[in-house]
Amino acid sequence: SAVISQKPSRDICQRGTSLTIQCQVDSQVTMMFWYRQQPGQSLTLIATANQGSEATYESGFVIDKFPISRPNLTFSTLTVSNMSPEDSSIYLCSALVRATYGYTFGSGTRLTVV
Amino acid sequence: TQLLEQSPQFLSIQEGENLTVYCNSSSVFSSLQWYRQEPGEGPVLLVTVVTGGEVKKLKRLTFQFGDARKDSSLHITAAQPGDTGLYLCAGDLNDYKLSFGAGTTVTVRA
């Protein structure tokens, strides 16, 4: 199955600043996803990022706050903009591997906004 | 409101005991997946079930998909401390986007 390298693994940021999270997949994948997770809790889908089209956002998430790039079939970034303490969370990317119909996840970015 | 109701939220058992985690919904899923997640890591796929009534076994883990494709269960036989982790069910409504259950934190005591 595909392997995703996600970075940074953690960061502490000042409120009002922005952080860009990167995910690199070791094979070409059509669909990538971005999630948010509070420690020990479930995952909430932020958006779907398909190469060659605009990301589609779930209810409660907007492009101005979470701009996403998907320049090719192996890479995606999520930016958390104008951060506030409420944005403190774990952010995860995921890719759908169609051959196995399995979803692979990055190891997550633990973000703390102070 | 979560699309998938997962229970229990916490499970603490002794090594060697059995456990079952449940996921229920009023929605019909094209597939349902189970993941296990450890602290500081992303979820790791355990199994995907796609056929109503399907039963899959993975060593000491048994997964069932309900006949109507609305519910699923994960049963672990003779649990070991290495089974400790956060277990998550996730369903696909045929749009490739996963809806996750709230998760079950399993602790197996040696």
Side-chain angles (χ1 to χ4, degrees):
Chain A
S1 60
V3 175
I4 299 179
S5 298
Q6 182 173 346
K7 59 182 181 181
S9 59
R10 58 176 61 227
D11 208 340
I12 301 173
C13 300
Q14 296 290 325
R15 68 177 65 201
T17 63
S18 298
L19 175 72
T20 295
I21 302 167
Q22 301 180 2
C23 277
Q24 179 74 52
V25 191
D26 67 350
S27 60
Q28 293 186 338
V29 292
T30 304
M31 303 184 79
M32 291 188 72
F33 307 86
W34 288 94
Y35 291 87
R36 188 166 68 183
Q37 181 184 31
Q38 295 297 328
Q41 297 186 23
S42 189
L43 283 73
T44 300
L45 182 63
I46 297 172
T48 303
N50 295 333
Q51 195 270 335
S53 62
E54 294 289 322
T56 56
Y57 290 82
E58 299 301 303
S59 176
F61 298 97
V62 295
I63 187 171
D64 290 345
K65 177 67 176 177
F66 297 101
I68 289 170
S69 78
R70 183 82 204 275
N72 55 52
L73 289 173
T74 64
F75 188 77
S76 181
T77 68
L78 169 78
T79 298
V80 187
S81 303
N82 189 25
M83 290 184 285
S84 66
E86 291 70 38
D87 295 320
S88 297
S89 190
I90 299 169
Y91 293 85
L92 294 137
C93 63
S94 174
L96 171 61
V97 181
R98 285 188 182 267
T100 58
Y101 194 41
Y103 293 76
T104 299
F105 285 81
S107 55
T109 297
R110 182 181 286 258
L111 171 63
T112 303
V113 183
V114 297
Chain B
T1 306
Q2 220 136 9
L3 199 58
L4 271 166
E5 297 295 326
Q6 187 172 343
S7 63
Q9 187 177 358
F10 299 97
L11 258 180
S12 181
I13 60 172
Q14 202 69 35
E15 182 176 5
E17 294 182 337
N18 302 331
L19 68 94
T20 303
V21 180
Y22 300 92
C23 266
N24 297 289
S25 177
S26 57
S27 299
V28 177
F29 295 101
S30 60
S31 73
L32 197 141
Q33 307 187 359
W34 286 91
Y35 292 83
R36 179 165 158 264
Q37 184 180 23
E38 298 190 41
E41 299 294 328
V44 175
L45 178 67
L46 296 174
V47 78
T48 300
V49 285
V50 297
T51 304
E54 183 175 5
V55 177
K56 280 192 174 179
K57 291 195 174 185
L58 189 68
K59 297 183 180 178
R60 294 178 293 102
L61 277 62
T62 301
F63 304 87
Q64 288 190 306
F65 200 14
D67 290 341
R69 306 207 317 273
K70 294 181 179 181
D71 54 86
S72 181
S73 65
L74 155 64
H75 183 79
I76 300 179
T77 304
Q80 300 174 0
D83 295 325
T84 293
L86 176 66
Y87 288 81
L88 296 153
C89 62
D92 172 11
L93 290 170
N94 204 30
D95 60 0
Y96 298 109
K97 296 189 293 186
L98 294 180
S99 295
F100 280 83
T104 298
T105 299
V106 172
T107 303
V108 182
R109 305 184 304 274

